[in-house]
Amino acid sequence: MTEVITIANQKGGVGKTTTAVNLSAALALEGKRVLLIDADPQSNATTSLGFHRDSYEYNLYHVMLGTKDLQDIVLDVKDIENLFVAPSNIGLVGIEKEFYKNTKDRELVLKRKIDPIKNDYDFIIIDSPPALGPLTINTLSSATSVLIPIQCEFFALEGLAQLLNTVKLIRQTINRQLEIKGFLPTMYSAQNNLSKQVFSDLAKHFESKLFKLNDESYVVIPRNIKLAESPSFGKPIMLYDEKSVGTKAYTNLAKAILR
């Protein structure tokens, strides 16, 4: 059965797109067929995989508008077999205005576009915008689960209650199968007391929803220069530096999800 995982957090700069791109790549390298849907108008997930805005004609805006099917816009990611991306574009900002015209069941537009091709993939990963607007509601309504990156820095847990309430509301009204896949600590530094405190708070409140390598160790995404550099080269971390700690971290996340 295909798993549809939305990566969501209304705070920006928490490693949401980094997680969407590198988890997708890691799952593909584990032999799974993966579609990454870039639902963020900033289109950072698209460019992180080497596709520039002028290298494709159609994007998710056209799909949401109804002029294209999702499969019509899917691009094949070179160098990683079984990894595909549905690109975004800044024009996607305008879709919210379109939603409020005459769109019936506007919270389910993306789900209706995903359903016909769902069984073509083992995993569909959705990168959502850093806001709780109509686009993010669409991504959550389409998903079987939501993965929430949490930055290990000050104010990390601020706004989390709002996101959890949104997830709860969607589960009660639109998407009863939606569950929290897990919380992923990002930008973690073992030398930083604040990082350790944030992780401790997460473990205290959400221990059962943290990703585990085994009974004794958790998956955390470290603060890592190579991880920060790789998007500017249009490559996931596994291709940019296969020996980096970032590669190991996202490979461990993929394995934890598969397990």
Side-chain angles (χ1 to χ4, degrees):
M1 180 180 171
T2 305
E3 222 179 317
V4 183
I5 304 173
T6 287
I7 315 295
N9 192 323
Q10 74 268 35
K11 279 176 67 67
V14 299
K16 180 176 56 61
T17 297
T18 299
T19 296
V21 168
N22 290 301
L23 173 58
S24 297
L27 287 168
L29 289 169
E30 290 290 326
K32 300 302 178 182
R33 189 172 169 86
V34 182
L35 172 64
L36 171 60
I37 298 177
D38 189 351
D40 187 344
Q42 298 175 89
S43 64
N44 290 334
T46 304
T47 55
S48 293
L49 288 172
F51 297 100
H52 298 287
R53 291 173 179 83
D54 58 355
S55 65
Y56 51 91
E57 186 175 0
Y58 300 107
N59 60 77
L60 196 64
Y61 173 79
H62 301 95
V63 174
M64 301 291 280
L65 206 58
T67 58
K68 289 289 174 183
D69 291 330
L70 186 55
Q71 197 57 43
D72 294 338
I73 70 163
V74 169
L75 304 172
D76 194 339
V77 178
K78 63 178 182 179
D79 300 327
I80 298 186
E81 190 177 359
N82 289 327
L83 179 59
F84 307 86
V85 62
S88 179
N89 185 279
I90 191 63
L92 196 56
V93 169
I95 201 66
E96 298 191 3
K97 189 180 293 183
E98 299 289 341
F99 275 166
Y100 287 103
K101 288 183 179 177
N102 301 306
T103 307
K104 186 180 179 183
D105 296 330
R106 55 179 173 259
E107 300 88 357
L108 297 171
V109 173
L110 183 58
K111 182 182 189 305
R112 287 198 294 265
K113 298 298 183 178
I114 289 175
D115 282 349
I117 67 164
K118 197 172 180 180
N119 292 333
D120 294 344
Y121 303 95
D122 298 305
F123 286 90
I124 296 175
I125 308 294
I126 309 176
D127 186 27
S128 64
L132 289 178
L135 272 174
T136 298
I137 300 302
N138 261 265
T139 68
L140 292 170
S141 300
S142 306
T144 50
S145 64
V146 54
L147 188 158
I148 304 171
I150 304 284
Q151 186 179 11
C152 290
E153 293 190 357
F154 199 55
F155 293 137
L157 303 180
E158 189 180 64
L160 186 58
Q162 185 184 3
L163 176 59
L164 295 181
N165 282 335
T166 301
V167 170
K168 181 180 179 182
L169 184 62
I170 288 174
R171 188 165 54 224
Q172 291 173 343
T173 57
I174 304 170
N175 182 5
R176 296 188 183 279
Q177 67 176 341
L178 182 65
E179 63 175 37
I180 294 174
K181 189 73 174 174
F183 297 91
L184 180 68
T186 62
M187 303 179 196
Y188 179 83
S189 172
Q191 288 75 44
N192 186 313
N193 287 333
L194 184 57
S195 277
K196 290 189 278 190
Q197 183 59 53
V198 171
F199 179 80
S200 176
D201 290 344
L202 271 175
K204 179 180 177 182
H205 296 289
F206 305 109
E207 197 274 340
S208 67
K209 288 296 184 180
L210 293 175
F211 296 97
K212 291 186 177 182
L213 287 173
N214 49 52
D215 290 340
E216 297 180 357
S217 60
Y218 296 91
V219 176
V220 297
I221 307 301
R223 184 173 288 281
N224 177 242
I225 297 294
K226 296 292 186 181
L227 203 49
E229 288 176 351
S230 61
S232 64
F233 289 86
K235 295 180 178 181
I237 187 61
M238 298 85 194
L239 296 187
Y240 181 64
D241 186 349
E242 64 177 351
K243 295 181 179 178
S244 78
V245 293
T247 295
K248 183 177 180 181
Y250 279 109
T251 299
N252 286 338
L253 176 61
K255 288 181 177 178
I257 286 173
L258 290 172
R259 191 165 56 238

